[in-house]
Amino acid sequence: PLRRIMPLQSLKKLENKTMQTIDSPYALGATMYCPATHADLYAVASGHKYPNCRSVVICLEDAVTEHEVEFALKNLSKLLTTFAQFGMPEHAPFIFIRPRHIQMAQMLSEWKNIGVVCGFVLPKFSLASFEQWKKAVPASLQIMPTLETAEFFDFGYIREFRQALQQDQCSILALRIGGNDLLSCLKLRRPKHLTIYETPLLTLINQLVGQLTPYGFMLTAPVFEHYSNLSLLRQELDRDVLSGLVGKTAIHPSQIDVIHAAFQVEHTDYIEAQQIVQQDAKAVFASGGSM
């Protein structure tokens, strides 16, 4: 019943403070995307710049232009070296890296300090690339594949995709819904005055949840790029929670607290959950006007 964000103090890290691990996708909260070229990359990744941020994805893909890749890799290497030498601050968010492609993931996996992060966010993940991604990413790292290609509009494909994941033992923390790329497959952009649930993606999101979540694969909510419209973001978050999604991508610091508030457990839900799991609880009882 407690379906939302875990308390910050309950998040467990390994004893070695130069390494991270995350026990549950519920702990992701608002996952801030940050380009690897960011001038304050250490401040963001260490939690000093945004102490309310619980997870960060350092992006080497669509947030970085081709001519910036070399600098982005150097900037990332410097960050990982710093964490390896001086340790990870206690309040640091969980860190993931989004490589540009499979070949870059393989290269990053060979870096001696790559173990200081939780894992990788895998772009354009599909059945066709599944085996290649498995070979490119060490089993010790967690992965969050991104579903953002046209194949996922085929509901039969989703079933086949799920079955492939079920047969594998790779460490999937969550599956991320790439809303903008999926809309792009339909030659559409998200309207500025509507939530993602008022676009053709409504049906797809329902299908992904229905075919993946019951089998243990949690999904995170897509980014809301119109960051100045926090009112519309709250509306979309209500639907995210109702759809059973876990956490949401953030692209602006103003979105972090709004996302966390939406996924926070209501006090009444918490009390009712406690009542349900009591050893001497009745099979059926009334609480707050509900059975």
Side-chain angles (χ1 to χ4, degrees), residues 63-102:
V64 175
T65 59
E66 191 67 43
H67 73 271
E68 295 177 309
V69 170
E70 184 177 354
F71 171 73
L73 289 170
K74 289 179 179 178
N75 207 30
L76 175 61
S77 177
K78 180 180 177 181
L79 173 75
L80 300 186
T81 300
T82 300
F83 282 146
Q85 289 179 346
F86 301 103
M88 192 80 68
E90 284 289 343
H91 57 279
F94 295 105
I95 300 171
F96 292 83
I97 297 171
R98 181 179 171 106
R100 203 170 187 84
H101 39 62
I102 294 171

Side-chain angles (χ1 to χ4, degrees), residues 220-238:
T220 66
V223 66
F224 180 84
E225 68 266 36
H226 306 309
Y227 59 85
S228 63
N229 192 342
L230 295 182
S231 175
L232 190 61
L233 171 61
R234 291 186 182 94
Q235 293 178 40
E236 182 162 301
L237 280 160
D238 287 342

Side-chain angles (χ1 to χ4, degrees), residues 11 22 38 40 47 55 67 69 98 104 113 126 130 167 174 179 189 198 203 206 208 228 240 259 268:
L11 305 184
I22 183 167
H38 199 293
D40 294 326
S55 56
H67 73 271
V69 170
R98 181 179 171 106
M104 180 179 284
N113 297 323
S126 67
F130 187 17
Q167 293 171 8
R189 290 186 65 192
E198 295 162 284
T203 302
N206 288 339
L208 289 171
S228 63
D240 291 336
I259 293 172
T268 53

Side-chain angles (χ1 to χ4, degrees), residues 108-180:
L108 293 171
S109 297
E110 295 170 359
W111 285 10
K112 66 176 182 179
N113 297 323
I114 198 64
V116 304
V117 301
C118 288
F120 288 172
V121 170
L122 312 183
K124 308 296 186 292
F125 190 86
S126 67
L127 278 173
S129 62
F130 187 17
E131 290 299 322
Q132 291 175 290
W133 279 116
K134 274 175 53 182
K135 293 175 182 177
V137 180
S140 59
L141 295 178
Q142 294 172 302
I143 59 171
M144 291 197 286
T146 308
L147 315 184
E148 54 186 348
T149 54
E151 297 97 327
F152 289 99
F153 286 96
D154 179 344
F155 301 145
Y157 180 88
I158 299 175
R159 186 181 302 110
E160 186 181 354
F161 177 80
R162 182 198 75 223
Q163 291 169 346
L165 296 185
Q166 287 178 297
Q167 293 171 8
D168 196 83
Q169 299 298 318
C170 55
S171 184
I172 297 177
L173 178 64
L175 301 170
R176 307 193 71 81
I177 300 176
N180 284 331

